[in-house]
Amino acid sequence: MLGIVHYFISLKDHSYWNGVCIVYRKFKKNIYIVPGSPVSLVIKCDDSVWLVDPGMGRDRSSIVKEALFRLGINSYKILLSHCHYDHIEALSGFIGKKVYVSILEAGILMDPLIRETVTYGHNPLPRLLGLNRLFFKDLGINVIKYPLPEKIDCLELVDLRGHSPGLLGLKLGDDAVFLADSLFGDRLLMRVGIPYHLDLYTALYRLENTVKAFADEGYRAILSHGPVVEGKKFRRLVDLNIERIKKVIEFAEELLSKSYYTLEQLTINILKHLGAEPTPSNIYLGLVPVNSILNKLYQDPGLEYIIKDSGVKWRIKRT
């Protein structure tokens, strides 16, 4: 833009440009991004305003409210793309606002035990990360049912299920899209190795049939965790995410065709194969998508198992 190189340095929940704190930036007419990981969106419709994904962090609700104040916004509704911890922790600072969420995510929003079980497989990771159990009282919840309505006010909903049970994206006019956590930036993929999706196969389908179409049609894309991408960069990132999921599935099948592995052993071997550090968080998060591979293989071509002191060990059935 005008030959100026814009750069943002993430520091806690703030972003900076040339040392100046930025609480929001304009994306296009009536659409604003509050930087963070994940980002939040502020969308002005003709007769309403929407806050999408309040986010997480000790000061996050204050930062988002500051952005709303600077934009002259007092009344607004909240849309949650999904109910993973990092997207809803700051929601407690917005009690009293109307909250819209997919029917498949409503139980995850209201019950921390359901949230932890669905997200992490009921393992110790939330405790290792020091996450608090979030209880939300007096939320005015509006459930979005399936099939999805074409619009809620000016919001055009996009079905992106796969990463979570009811992940929602948004079509932002004819040239932009909010992809939430259906697409990850290359730095995040490099760090975590195995992209987190509750169901790898459904996530792969969405990437190949929905997200790729947006890239091919020249849309700009906002990611929850990553840069705004467009053009060749957008298409390359889609290809990278597709390639990564396929690589995870193919390597898991290769290992299981040769020997027996517990779920944890399989996950650790895949992480090492991808060059990612097998930290507790990478392992525990990776267990979820890798388990979706075992579930698929159990049906076709089938798995057999042995029980050892190390746990249940799986192998693809030999014909």
Side-chain angles (χ1 to χ4, degrees), residues 23-51:
V23 293
Y24 74 88
R25 55 193 175 99
K26 187 174 182 177
F27 175 68
K28 57 180 293 188
K29 184 180 179 181
N30 294 329
I31 300 175
Y32 305 86
I33 297 174
V34 183
S37 186
V39 301
S40 304
L41 301 183
V42 178
I43 301 173
K44 293 183 177 181
C45 298
D46 289 338
D47 300 314
S48 62
V49 177
W50 291 83
L51 167 64

Side-chain angles (χ1 to χ4, degrees), residues 260-262 304-308 310-315:
Y260 288 96
Y261 290 87
T262 66
E304 54 191 17
Y305 65 87
I306 56 175
I307 297 176
K308 296 289 186 180
S310 57
V312 182
K313 305 186 81 169
W314 301 93
R315 183 180 71 182

Side-chain angles (χ1 to χ4, degrees), residues 215-232:
D216 291 342
E217 292 169 16
Y219 279 67
R220 288 189 294 161
I222 301 172
L223 286 59
S224 288
H225 304 277
V228 174
V229 291
E230 60 183 311
K232 292 181 179 179

Side-chain angles (χ1 to χ4, degrees), residues 253-261 315-316 318:
E253 292 176 347
E254 179 183 336
L255 291 176
L256 291 167
S257 67
K258 297 176 179 178
S259 185
Y260 288 96
Y261 290 87
R315 183 180 71 182
I316 292 176
R318 297 183 176 179

Side-chain angles (χ1 to χ4, degrees), residues 160 163 167 178-184 197 203 206-207 211 241:
L160 294 174
H163 173 76
L167 184 67
F178 170 59
L179 294 174
D181 283 5
S182 64
L183 185 70
F184 296 119
H197 296 292
R206 299 297 177 194
L207 282 167
V211 177
N241 276 255

Side-chain angles (χ1 to χ4, degrees), residues 218-278:
Y219 279 67
R220 288 189 294 161
I222 301 172
L223 286 59
S224 288
H225 304 277
V228 174
V229 291
E230 60 183 311
K232 292 181 179 179
K233 187 173 182 180
F234 186 6
R235 291 191 291 274
R236 281 198 300 266
L237 194 56
V238 174
D239 290 341
L240 177 63
N241 276 255
I242 291 173
E243 177 188 343
R244 176 57 59 92
I245 293 178
K246 287 183 175 180
K247 186 177 292 187
V248 170
I249 293 172
E250 289 167 2
F251 190 61
E253 292 176 347
E254 179 183 336
L255 291 176
L256 291 167
S257 67
K258 297 176 179 178
S259 185
Y260 288 96
Y261 290 87
T262 66
L263 176 58
E264 284 198 5
Q265 289 172 336
L266 189 60
T267 301
I268 291 169
N269 273 271
I270 293 171
L271 286 169
K272 290 180 177 179
H273 177 68
L274 296 171
E277 186 180 356

Side-chain angles (χ1 to χ4, degrees), residues 63-284:
I63 292 167
V64 173
K65 287 179 179 179
E66 175 67 15
L68 292 165
F69 173 77
R70 294 189 187 187
L71 288 166
I73 296 169
N74 296 311
S75 177
Y76 51 92
K77 304 172 187 176
I78 297 174
L79 175 72
L80 302 176
S81 66
H82 61 304
C83 295
H84 285 167
Y85 189 97
D86 55 332
H87 291 252
I88 65 170
E89 184 190 26
L91 188 59
S92 57
F94 298 91
I95 299 299
K97 298 298 180 181
K98 288 185 178 180
V99 177
Y100 288 71
V101 64
S102 161
I103 190 172
L104 300 177
E105 300 275 339
I108 301 171
L109 174 62
M110 295 308 300
D111 191 309
L113 184 58
I114 294 176
R115 186 182 314 125
E116 291 177 12
T117 302
V118 172
T119 307
Y120 306 108
H122 210 276
N123 63 51
L125 184 58
R127 309 289 80 79
L128 288 172
L129 296 177
L131 303 183
N132 298 315
R133 280 195 162 166
L134 302 176
F135 294 88
F136 298 109
K137 296 180 179 180
D138 303 321
L139 282 180
I141 297 179
N142 294 268
V143 172
I144 302 170
K145 298 181 179 180
Y146 292 83
L148 292 176
E150 287 187 12
K151 283 188 177 183
I152 298 178
D153 288 346
C154 70
L155 303 185
E156 296 186 63
L157 302 177
V158 180
D159 186 353
L160 294 174
R161 284 176 285 180
H163 173 76
S164 72
L167 184 67
L168 296 173
L170 292 172
K171 188 179 175 187
L172 306 171
D174 295 329
D175 61 352
V177 63
F178 170 59
L179 294 174
D181 283 5
S182 64
L183 185 70
F184 296 119
D186 50 0
R187 291 184 182 180
L188 187 146
L189 285 177
M190 186 181 302
R191 186 174 74 249
V192 303
I194 302 171
Y196 178 93
H197 296 292
L198 184 65
D199 183 340
L200 274 184
Y201 298 90
T202 302
L204 179 60
Y205 175 84
R206 299 297 177 194
L207 282 167
E208 291 181 325
N209 293 277
T210 302
V211 177
K212 190 175 187 299
F214 284 122
D216 291 342
E217 292 169 16
Y219 279 67
R220 288 189 294 161
I222 301 172
L223 286 59
S224 288
H225 304 277
V228 174
V229 291
E230 60 183 311
K232 292 181 179 179
K233 187 173 182 180
F234 186 6
R235 291 191 291 274
R236 281 198 300 266
L237 194 56
V238 174
D239 290 341
L240 177 63
N241 276 255
I242 291 173
E243 177 188 343
R244 176 57 59 92
I245 293 178
K246 287 183 175 180
K247 186 177 292 187
V248 170
I249 293 172
E250 289 167 2
F251 190 61
E253 292 176 347
E254 179 183 336
L255 291 176
L256 291 167
S257 67
K258 297 176 179 178
S259 185
Y260 288 96
Y261 290 87
T262 66
L263 176 58
E264 284 198 5
Q265 289 172 336
L266 189 60
T267 301
I268 291 169
N269 273 271
I270 293 171
L271 286 169
K272 290 180 177 179
H273 177 68
L274 296 171
E277 186 180 356
T279 61
S281 61
N282 281 348
I283 293 169
Y284 279 126

